[in-house]
Amino acid sequence: MDQNPGDGLVQKAAAVGVASAYVSDDLAAALFPKSGINLSDRMLSNGLQYLRAIIREIEIEICMIAAEEFGLKHDIIIEIGNSGRGHSYALLQSAGLLESKNLLEYVFTCIQRVELGTRLLQKISQADLESVLIRHLDCEDAVIADAAMALLVAQSRDNGGSGLIHAHISNLPADILFALTWPITAALQKLSGYEGQELIKAAEKLLGGHDEGAAIQSRARRLAQLVDHIAGSAESPHPLHDGVDLFLARLAQRSGLSVDQLILFTAEPKMMRLVLAMRAMDISTDHALSIFGALDGSGQMLTPASYNEIDVDRASELVSQWSGNGLLQDAQRKLNTHFSGLSV
């Protein structure tokens, strides 16, 4: 017997009623942002696009592995695997399974990396930016040439052009892939009504075969090590000379900070922490100003006077603190916030 159309409307109205209870949370987040970082409409759109795309890639891979390697014959699973359209996103979103701190921080680094690429293309042509790594391909040292080629291959998987963001499983950190794979597997079970072991085995196969060494960050880090240590490059890192990924890897190597931290610094007001990091690394004034100009997206300026007045020792002390244990720093921030204003 067909369901009464009115029943579906009642269910939807009930769901809307539950969701509307969170309108104050949404309004508070919009009116009272806590980070001081401006999340433009383009960045928010890219973040949503990325989440949808990576969920689609993972669910398709799980379905394909289940069908091709474990012989699963289930019409809905096969249809999802062949459709090219993400099915799990709405289910995961409504269940709150896409709101973890680690996942959202990772998505932010992805969209800010795209922003940096867009900013560079305002100062350098696409052709020149693409040729940045070519000089390393011609290096007499075959190890450096191979590392440059590996980075180019990883970037080609991720190349969506100016202002676009692509998602590829190979570029995911292992913890993010793990955090997404199991909720997606559960969503596939719910969507298909199938609870056999093949989907679980496929998820385990996907996770077991993941190689973090193929990711852009890993390959950029490898090339940075070779360029700076083996080749003994005396040239300071610069985004217009290195491109976004190699520049960040070289800067991370010299500062002790992570690439993700540096990406965050470029999104902060006036990139103040990035400026302090450059000062701590004793990057020359002219070079620091040039880097700032290449990465800035708000029309602000870094002056020689403001850069030179930064105390190098104090800057080095702060960078050392920022590069320390991330979990410890997070706990310290939360404890300081919780106990601020309370007498001991």
Side-chain angles (χ1 to χ4, degrees):
M1 184 174 180
D2 293 338
Q3 183 184 28
N4 186 331
D7 293 339
L9 181 60
V10 169
Q11 292 172 354
K12 291 179 180 178
V16 168
V18 171
S20 294
Y22 297 99
V23 65
S24 60
D25 295 339
D26 292 344
L27 184 60
L31 293 178
F32 313 117
K34 297 179 179 179
S35 70
I37 292 174
N38 177 40
L39 295 172
S40 66
D41 289 343
R42 179 175 63 191
M43 293 176 71
L44 294 174
S45 176
N46 275 342
L48 179 60
Q49 177 187 332
Y50 179 83
L51 270 174
R52 288 182 179 277
I54 198 62
I55 288 169
R56 180 177 67 248
E57 292 296 314
I58 293 172
E59 73 174 29
I60 289 174
E61 192 69 17
I62 291 173
C63 291
M64 290 180 62
I65 293 173
E68 295 175 3
E69 300 192 29
F70 296 104
L72 176 60
K73 300 184 185 301
H74 188 284
D75 290 344
I76 296 178
I77 297 296
I78 292 173
E79 180 184 349
I80 291 174
N82 292 329
S83 70
R85 177 177 64 84
H87 294 71
S88 303
Y89 178 85
L91 201 58
L92 298 174
Q93 185 271 330
S94 62
L97 291 171
L98 302 178
E99 299 175 17
S100 74
K101 183 175 184 290
N102 286 348
L103 174 60
L104 293 177
E105 286 180 346
Y106 173 73
V107 171
F108 172 79
T109 63
C110 290
I111 60 180
Q112 180 61 16
R113 174 176 167 268
V114 172
E115 284 292 302
L116 293 176
T118 300
R119 293 176 190 178
L120 288 191
L121 287 175
Q122 295 172 355
K123 287 95 177 178
I124 186 174
S125 71
Q126 180 69 42
D128 288 341
L129 195 58
E130 290 175 350
S131 67
V132 159
L133 293 177
I134 300 300
R135 68 183 189 276
H136 296 303
L137 293 178
D138 297 330
C139 182
E140 294 181 359
D141 190 320
V143 177
I144 292 178
D146 289 345
M149 177 58 74
L151 178 55
L152 281 169
V153 169
Q155 288 177 333
S156 69
R157 292 194 307 254
D158 200 54
N159 182 21
S162 175
L164 298 178
I165 184 166
H166 279 194
H168 198 285
I169 295 175
S170 296
N171 288 324
L172 284 177
D175 62 322
I176 298 299
L177 178 60
F178 187 91
L180 284 172
T181 295
W182 293 117
I184 291 171
T185 303
L188 289 171
Q189 289 177 327
K190 188 170 183 64
L191 288 166
S192 65
Y194 181 78
E195 296 183 358
Q197 292 297 303
E198 285 83 359
L199 287 175
I200 294 173
K201 290 179 181 178
E204 291 173 341
K205 176 85 172 180
L206 173 62
L207 293 171
H210 185 60
D211 178 14
E212 279 194 292
I216 287 176
Q217 276 201 23
S218 296
R219 292 186 169 179
R221 182 168 58 247
R222 170 63 173 162
L223 181 58
Q225 291 169 345
L226 293 170
V227 168
D228 286 345
H229 292 313
I230 294 181
S233 175
E235 184 183 77
S236 292
H238 196 291
L240 296 182
H241 301 156
D242 298 316
V244 170
D245 298 312
L246 182 56
F247 165 74
L248 290 170
R250 295 183 69 197
L251 209 62
Q253 184 171 263
R254 296 187 181 197
S255 65
L257 297 162
S258 71
V259 167
D260 287 351
Q261 284 178 303
L262 291 168
I263 290 175
L264 174 62
F265 292 177
T266 66
E268 292 173 345
K270 299 181 179 179
M271 297 191 290
M272 287 183 283
R273 287 203 287 174
L274 180 67
V275 172
L276 261 65
M278 291 192 291
R279 185 65 169 157
M281 287 181 280
D282 201 26
I283 292 178
S284 71
T285 303
D286 289 343
H287 202 76
L289 267 59
S290 180
I291 291 173
F292 186 95
L295 296 180
D296 177 61
S298 57
Q300 301 186 66
M301 293 181 60
L302 174 65
T303 65
S306 61
Y307 183 72
N308 290 327
E309 71 183 8
I310 298 172
D311 182 82
V312 176
D313 291 337
R314 178 59 178 149
S316 298
E317 180 183 339
L318 286 170
V319 169
S320 179
Q321 292 176 11
W322 298 333
S323 63
N325 186 305
L327 292 176
L328 175 63
Q329 291 179 55
D330 189 50
Q332 289 172 336
R333 280 193 297 269
K334 291 178 179 178
L335 288 170
N336 289 337
T337 299
H338 181 68
F339 289 106
S340 61
L342 298 180
S343 58
V344 179

